[in-house]
């Protein structure tokens, strides 16, 4: 009887009352644990795991994961291999340990091990790769170049190992799928025409060798005492409209040097010679380009930099034939100017007097810069000083204005009236440079010279960025007083746009000046 009472007292240690009629066992600390879980995901349909227990006992598998071991020894790692499992996620498997304790009597106990989640997947044989990487050129090596470690960029369709061949080498050995900039190791002066790049992918497939463009490394020669910046001029702008997405243009430079681009255009041609230079713009999307500029830095020790040369506005189209449009839908019939444009009235006026007639493709290009040949026509037509039936040319006024140029007669007439002149000094002496962009003060001088008014003195004060005593100070004062260019600043060197030209002429008309 004493033994029975003692056993009941011990059992009471493991239970607590749960209301008047219910009882439950207090959870017991887990003594069975995972040493190595099932690898996940796994393609093995009979996966294994390693467990350990501080007590010996028998094992029960109450769920879908049934193991091959029915017992376990104390403090000994035991590998459990599950029976064949289907493909899927296993997140509710348990292993129950049944064991006994002896405290003067036998106590039956259990401990539950929750198997860590794992997934069984099908084994998929990856497809064999027999495709060679394909390489294409992205950015050429500039030529000639004064950089002995020039840069080059190529595209690869696959990642892999880079091999540089020929007379070139590089420390870059890994390629990615996409653009890959690479710097060649130091090269001695000379011409390099046999450099190649090959990419071998992870499957061992090698691309065809990509031939690097031929380039020349030159020794940098310092021109002492040179403080003159290069002078630039546009010779042949991009034809417009055009379907060519890599169009050419030709510009003239008074000095050799390196070319820098800004705006929406770029080119692999980064060196300029003294004289004419033909460059190819990089691949362009369809659309109108009116914010492209280039400049040249000469090779002197001072690194003299030219002014930005505006690339005249041009349009890339998908078809050489423009779709028909209803001119009534646009301002003055120009397909790139809305009827609600703030300068529509001004644009309509300059068209009505024949000063600005737009482009053959029906555009006005309001944001494009004005050129010297265009301003000659605009000034003459504005003041009604040109008769298309009359010949104003007894000879060629400038060597860079050809007799078949559309502006030939206009330029002759401007010279005849003393309204336009060529350059008097410097590298441009004796030339007119018809395609060169015109800045604001040059335009003001041309449009105001033929007014029947006396211009203010050059000692006048006007805009905050125009000093008195400049050759254009009087024109600036007239502009300030008549709100031709509004605002506190004139920005004299800023190229004038076609929109601004229309606005100034219309303002003069509204003031009854013309």
């Amino acid at each position: 009887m004493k033994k029975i009472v003692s056993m009941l007292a011990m059992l009471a240690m493991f239970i607590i009352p749960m209301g008047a009629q219910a009882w439950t066992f207090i959870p017991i600390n887990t003594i069975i644990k995972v040493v190595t879980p099932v690898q996940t995901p796994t393609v093995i349909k009979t996966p294994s795991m390693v467990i350990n227990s501080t007590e010996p006992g028998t094992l029960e598998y109450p769920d879908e994961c049934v193991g091959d071991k029915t017992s376990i020894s104390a403090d000994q790692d035991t590998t459990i291999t599950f029976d064949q499992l289907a493909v899927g996620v296993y997140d509710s498997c348990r292993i129950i340990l049944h064991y006994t304790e002896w405290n003067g009597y036998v106590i039956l106990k259990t401990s539950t091990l929750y198997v860590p989640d794992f997934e069984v997947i099908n084994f998929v044989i990856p497809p064999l790769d027999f495709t060679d990487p394909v390489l294409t050129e992205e950015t050429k090596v500039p030529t000639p170049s004064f950089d002995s470690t020039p840069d080059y960029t190529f595209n690869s369709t696959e990642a892999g190992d880079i091999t540089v061949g020929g007379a070139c080498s590089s420390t870059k050995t890994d390629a990615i799928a996409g653009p890959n900039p690479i710097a060649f190791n130091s090269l001695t002066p000379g011409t390099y025409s046999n450099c190649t790049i090959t990419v071998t992918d992870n499957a061992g497939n090698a691309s065809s060798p990509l031939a690097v463009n031929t380039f020349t490394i030159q020794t940098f020669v310092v021109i002492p005492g040179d403080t003159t910046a290069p002078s630039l001029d546009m010779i042949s702008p991009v034809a417009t409209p055009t379907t060519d997405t890599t169009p050419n243009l030709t510009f003239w430079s008074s000095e050799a040097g390196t070319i820098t681009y800004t705006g929406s255009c770029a080119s692999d041609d980064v060196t300029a010679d003294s004289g004419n230079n033909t460059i190819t713009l990089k691949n362009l999307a369809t659309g109108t380009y009116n914010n492209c500029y280039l400049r040249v830095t000469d090779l002197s020790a001072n690194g003299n930099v030219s002014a930005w040369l505006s690339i005249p506005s041009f349009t890339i189209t998908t078809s050489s034939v423009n779709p028909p449009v209803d001119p009534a839908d646009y301002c003055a019939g120009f397909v790139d100017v809305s009827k609600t444009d703030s300068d529509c009235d001004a644009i309509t006026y300059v068209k009505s007097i024949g000063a600005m007639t737009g482009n053959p493709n029906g555009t006005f290009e309001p944001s494009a810069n004005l050129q010297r040949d265009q301003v000659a026509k605009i000034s003459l037509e504005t003041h009604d000083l040109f008769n298309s039936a009359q010949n104003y040319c007894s000879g060629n006024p400038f060597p860079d204005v050809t007799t078949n140029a559309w502006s030939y007669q206009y330029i002759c007439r401007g010279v005849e009236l003393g309204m336009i002149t060529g350059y008097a000094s410097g590298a441009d002496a004796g030339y007119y440079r018809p395609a060169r962009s015109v800045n604001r003060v040059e335009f003001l001088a041309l449009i105001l010279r033929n007014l029947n008014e006396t211009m203010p003195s050059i000692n006048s004060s006007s805009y905050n960025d125009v000093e008195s005593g400049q050759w254009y100070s009087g024109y600036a004062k007239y502009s300030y007083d008549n709100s031709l260019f509004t605002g506190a600043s004139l920005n004299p060197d800023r190229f004038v746009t076609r929109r601004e030209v229309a606005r100034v002429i219309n303002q003069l008309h509204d003031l009854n000046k013309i």
Side-chain angles (χ1 to χ4, degrees):
M1 178 62 70
K2 290 182 180 180
K3 187 173 183 180
I4 294 174
V5 172
S6 178
M7 290 180 65
L8 290 174
M10 289 296 295
L11 285 173
M13 296 174 62
F14 295 99
I15 60 175
I16 60 174
M18 297 294 290
Q21 303 297 327
W23 298 81
T24 186
F25 284 99
I26 297 174
I28 302 173
N29 291 334
T30 302
I31 61 173
I32 184 172
K33 65 180 180 179
V34 175
V35 177
T36 305
V38 175
Q39 179 183 352
T40 186
T42 179
V43 296
I44 300 173
K45 301 299 192 297
T46 56
S48 298
M49 64 181 293
V50 179
I51 63 175
N52 191 288
S53 174
T54 60
E55 299 289 340
T58 60
L59 301 176
E60 178 189 355
Y61 306 93
D63 305 305
E64 55 188 335
C65 303
V66 178
D68 61 340
K69 298 294 192 299
T70 57
S71 63
I72 189 170
S73 300
D75 299 319
Q76 180 176 318
D77 289 350
T78 301
T79 299
I80 304 294
T81 300
F82 295 114
D83 292 350
Q84 183 86 7
L85 296 173
V87 171
V89 175
Y90 294 84
D91 55 6
S92 59
C93 294
R94 295 171 297 164
I95 300 175
I96 299 175
L97 171 66
H98 297 276
Y99 66 98
T100 60
E101 282 189 355
W102 176 256
N103 287 320
Y105 49 86
V106 174
I107 300 177
L108 298 178
K109 291 186 176 183
T110 62
S111 179
T112 301
L113 172 66
Y114 291 91
V115 177
D117 298 353
F118 64 93
E119 182 180 10
V120 178
I121 62 173
N122 282 323
F123 178 71
V124 179
I125 300 176
L128 297 177
D129 180 8
F130 297 107
T131 304
D132 297 336
V134 177
L135 310 185
T136 54
E137 185 174 79
E138 174 75 11
T139 305
K140 296 180 180 179
V141 177
T143 185
S145 174
F146 301 97
D147 183 359
S148 62
T149 57
D151 294 327
Y152 180 75
T153 303
F154 69 93
N155 272 292
S156 176
T157 57
E158 297 185 62
D161 297 326
I162 299 175
T163 302
V164 179
C168 299
S169 62
S170 177
T171 57
K172 185 176 177 65
T173 57
D174 297 324
I176 64 171
N180 290 269
I182 183 172
F184 294 121
N185 294 334
S186 184
L187 299 169
T188 58
T191 298
Y192 294 81
S193 59
N194 67 341
C195 296
T196 61
I197 294 176
T198 304
V199 171
T200 304
D201 66 18
N202 295 330
N205 304 302
S207 71
S208 298
L210 173 64
V212 178
N213 66 289
T214 299
F215 61 94
T216 300
I217 302 296
Q218 292 184 350
T219 302
F220 185 78
V221 178
V222 175
I223 304 173
D226 180 10
T227 59
T228 303
S231 177
L232 309 182
D233 191 26
M234 186 61 61
I235 302 300
S236 298
V238 176
T240 186
T242 179
T243 58
D244 185 359
T245 58
T246 56
N248 293 335
L249 63 88
T250 302
F251 74 95
W252 175 86
S253 176
S254 62
E255 296 185 64
T258 57
I259 307 172
T260 305
Y261 301 87
T262 190
S264 300
C265 301
S267 174
D268 290 327
D269 301 312
V270 294
T271 58
D273 296 324
S274 175
N276 287 350
N277 295 270
T278 298
I279 63 172
T280 300
L281 299 179
K282 295 182 73 171
N283 194 46
L284 298 170
T286 57
T288 297
Y289 293 81
N290 52 26
N291 67 336
C292 298
Y293 300 85
L294 63 85
R295 68 183 181 187
V296 172
T297 304
D298 69 18
L299 307 178
S300 71
N302 295 321
N304 304 302
V305 182
S306 73
W308 288 105
L309 174 65
S310 173
I311 298 175
S313 178
F314 62 93
T315 300
I316 306 291
T317 66
T318 56
S319 171
S320 58
V321 178
N322 290 318
V325 295
D326 182 358
D329 294 337
Y330 304 98
C331 176
F334 294 121
V335 298
D336 58 344
V337 183
S338 168
K339 286 195 296 187
T340 60
D341 191 287
S342 60
D343 290 311
C344 181
D345 289 344
I347 293 170
T348 301
Y349 173 71
V350 294
K351 181 181 180 182
S352 70
I353 63 174
M356 303 179 76
T357 54
N359 301 310
N361 65 352
T363 61
F364 182 76
E365 294 185 306
S367 299
N369 295 334
L370 188 70
Q371 299 176 189
R372 284 171 60 84
D373 54 357
Q374 295 170 336
V375 79
K377 174 198 172 183
I378 291 170
S379 299
L380 291 168
E381 296 287 3
T382 296
H383 295 289
D384 197 21
L385 295 172
F386 185 81
N387 184 347
S388 59
Q390 189 169 339
N391 180 17
Y392 296 104
C393 299
S394 58
N396 196 334
F398 302 104
D400 58 342
V401 178
T402 60
T403 57
N404 61 351
W406 71 266
S407 58
Y408 181 57
Q409 289 290 332
Y410 287 104
I411 293 173
C412 289
R413 177 60 167 161
V415 171
E416 180 182 88
L417 295 173
M419 188 176 72
I420 62 175
T421 60
Y423 290 91
S425 61
D428 297 322
Y431 290 88
Y432 182 66
R433 302 305 183 201
R436 182 168 292 176
S437 296
V438 178
N439 63 33
R440 287 181 166 186
V441 293
E442 291 171 333
F443 165 66
L444 284 174
L446 286 167
I447 205 68
L448 297 179
R449 278 173 185 164
N450 288 294
L451 292 181
N452 293 322
E453 296 186 47
T454 300
M455 289 293 111
S457 166
I458 64 171
N459 295 319
S460 303
S461 297
S462 55
Y463 299 98
N464 60 18
D465 56 353
V466 176
E467 296 180 4
S468 62
Q470 302 297 315
W471 70 265
Y472 53 83
S473 298
Y475 299 117
K477 173 63 173 174
Y478 190 90
S479 171
Y480 185 81
D481 289 344
N482 291 281
S483 300
L484 302 185
F485 285 101
T486 58
S489 301
L490 176 61
N491 298 304
D493 294 330
R494 180 180 295 177
F495 294 136
V496 67
T497 66
R498 293 170 60 82
R499 177 189 296 277
E500 292 172 329
V501 169
R503 189 183 299 155
V504 168
I505 294 174
N506 188 60
Q507 175 70 357
L508 290 171
H509 169 69
D510 289 345
L511 295 172
N512 295 316
K513 305 291 186 180
I514 56 176

